[in-house]
Amino acid sequence: SLSYLEEKRSTLSNSILFYMHAGSGNHGCEAIVNSLCHMIETPVVVMSNDKVEDEKYSMPNYCTILQERKFERNRLAHVLYYIYRKITKDKESFIRYRYHQVIGKKKYPLAVSIGGDNYCYDMMLNDLFLTNGAFNHAGTKTVLAGCSIEPELLQRKEIIEDLAKYHTIIARESITYEALVDKYDSNNVKPGIILCPDPAFALGLKEKKHLPEVFNEKEVIGINVSPLIQESEGKAGITLENYSELIRYILETTDYNVVLMPHVVWERNDDRKPLKYLHEIFKDSNRVFMIEDGTCEELKYCISKCKLFIGARTHATIAAYSTCVPTLVVGYSVKARGIANDIFGQWENYVLPVQQLCEKGQLIAAYQWLADNEQSIRSHLQETMPEYCNRAKETGKIIEDIYRKVKED
């Protein structure tokens, strides 16, 4: 009915929009939305790359999910828009098609890009630039939240110009924050720049159904690996070689069980593939187990039960840090170094860059340091995490305050 449509439009125009959400099959993406929705009183609408995927996990409990429109599902539209763009040079037309429900009629005062480290990937830059521009041209203010950006990328003029269009940038670690402040100090046009921990540090826990009995039998070492770090390795195959050597070392020198934890389950980028490879090697030991997929809150609960955690995915390690589990990050970018540096005052020993893996035994050595310093690390986390997680909640307040101001304007 007309009254229903008017009510719906009113509801959406009085909401905060999240965009650049890739889908909850990446449980880090899910954790960001879940956490922010708990911090923000204003209704949240999420423009999603995969609404069906989101509905499988926790997001429907906290926000309204809209599906992006995709050209691959409408070939005629793709051809027509291509011709239109060719003639008019209007590159943002593709974005207006993709986000047709939220761009063009000033429905939203504020749109928040929640893509984390999207600016670190060349394949993402064109969409980021065009979407930020399209929202700004439609009169919608934009915020870049929870971001990490490699400092050397700020030498690129096109990135600097695009970032300047944001009303506010919220950096989730100090390496990115300091690089942004340094770069924009000499510019007349600059966004607001704020440092605030990743919102997922404030994510809640939910007991996982059918939790494996392994957690009740012995102490557990949690392990996560991803295809993404395999792509960044300097020597082909060295990542899984180091992980398999580590698991063998744990089995031979301790009585701990090992639990393999997937945190991204996209077909195109699935943690379960390398983890299943590792499980196949050690399945006959009856001490190495795979955790089934679950919501971000359920996976955080499983991670919180670990004695130590060795992880590649940022939000798997955030789940560990925030529950005071001593953690070694097998990282590939600024986000791992920056987060560890903010928590411990240094990233060395807490982060093993995958690019530095060149021989067997390196991961064992890094694990040994973690195990040797377990008690002091846990004590430090227990002392610092309550305040750190409370600071993470400030992201919601910052976004809410910006929303109120831009609505008044």
Side-chain angles (χ1 to χ4, degrees), residues 31 37 40 60 77 90 127 166 191 197 208 285 371 386:
C37 286
I40 294 173
D90 179 6
D127 280 357
Y166 288 102
K208 195 177 191 310
S285 70

Side-chain angles (χ1 to χ4, degrees), residues 2-18 40-46 62-66 101-102 106-110 400 403 407:
L2 183 60
S3 60
Y4 169 79
L5 290 175
E6 290 173 346
E7 181 182 350
K8 187 71 172 176
R9 289 192 192 99
S10 175
T11 301
L12 296 182
S13 64
N14 287 287
S15 302
I16 297 172
L17 178 70
F18 290 174
I40 294 173
E41 293 181 5
T42 302
V44 171
V45 175
V46 179
Y62 310 114
C63 61
T64 299
I65 307 169
L66 300 178
Q101 298 177 75
V102 297
K106 287 188 168 183
K107 292 179 180 177
Y108 294 88
L110 184 66
E400 194 96 62
Y403 170 76
K407 276 211 75 174

Side-chain angles (χ1 to χ4, degrees), residues 246-314:
L246 173 61
I247 294 171
R248 184 171 290 108
Y249 175 82
I250 292 170
L251 296 180
E252 290 177 353
T253 63
T254 75
D255 65 350
Y256 305 148
N257 286 327
V258 174
V259 171
L260 307 175
M261 302 264 195
H263 212 258
V264 173
V265 293
W266 286 330
E267 184 178 348
R268 62 190 182 275
N269 189 4
D270 193 340
D271 294 355
R272 293 172 296 188
K273 292 178 181 178
L275 291 175
K276 283 179 180 177
Y277 169 83
L278 294 171
H279 183 257
E280 190 65 25
I281 295 173
F282 298 104
K283 64 181 181 181
D284 292 339
S285 70
N286 294 316
R287 289 172 57 195
V288 179
F289 305 87
M290 276 276 291
I291 290 293
E292 294 181 3
D293 188 26
T295 68
C296 58
E297 296 163 310
E298 291 172 333
L299 294 175
K300 181 171 181 175
Y301 177 81
C302 293
I303 291 169
S304 75
K305 296 295 183 182
C306 295
K307 177 181 178 65
L308 303 171
F309 190 73
I310 297 90
R313 294 290 184 182
T314 299

Side-chain angles (χ1 to χ4, degrees), residues 224-231 239-240 243 264 269-272 274-275 311-313 330 332:
N224 165 260
V225 65
S226 76
L228 204 56
I229 63 165
Q230 290 179 271
E231 294 172 6
T239 302
L240 286 183
Y243 268 90
V264 173
N269 189 4
D270 193 340
D271 294 355
R272 293 172 296 188
L275 291 175
R313 294 290 184 182
V330 184
Y332 65 93

Side-chain angles (χ1 to χ4, degrees), residues 94-237:
F94 275 29
I95 297 299
R96 292 196 300 274
Y97 176 86
R98 178 176 167 185
Y99 291 102
H100 73 289
Q101 298 177 75
V102 297
I103 289 182
K105 296 182 180 178
K106 287 188 168 183
K107 292 179 180 177
Y108 294 88
L110 184 66
V112 182
S113 177
I114 55 172
D117 58 345
N118 281 343
Y119 278 87
C120 294
Y121 306 109
D122 277 344
M123 63 182 179
M124 297 289 298
L125 291 178
N126 191 53
D127 280 357
L128 287 164
F129 298 164
L130 292 176
T131 308
N132 193 17
F135 275 122
N136 274 269
H137 292 148
T140 296
K141 298 292 185 182
T142 55
V143 169
L144 177 60
C147 74
S148 290
I149 304 172
E150 296 282 356
E152 55 266 29
L153 293 177
L154 299 181
Q155 304 302 316
R156 295 169 62 170
K157 181 182 178 183
E158 70 273 21
I159 291 178
I160 283 295
E161 289 178 348
D162 180 68
L163 292 175
K165 295 175 184 176
Y166 288 102
H167 178 284
T168 302
I169 299 175
I170 307 171
R172 62 181 165 186
E173 34 75 21
S174 57
I175 295 177
T176 294
Y177 172 76
E178 290 166 6
L180 285 167
V181 169
D182 181 64
K183 176 57 65 174
Y184 283 103
D185 264 352
S186 59
N187 287 271
N188 293 324
V189 179
K190 61 182 180 180
I193 303 169
I194 299 172
L195 174 63
C196 198
D198 191 295
F201 273 94
L203 180 71
L205 290 77
K206 182 178 181 181
E207 185 168 356
K208 195 177 191 310
K209 295 179 181 177
H210 313 301
L211 188 69
E213 191 62 28
V214 61
F215 284 98
N216 300 319
E217 294 171 351
K218 297 178 182 178
E219 290 187 297
V220 165
I221 307 298
I223 287 182
N224 165 260
V225 65
S226 76
L228 204 56
I229 63 165
Q230 290 179 271
E231 294 172 6
S232 300
E233 62 188 8
K235 179 181 176 182

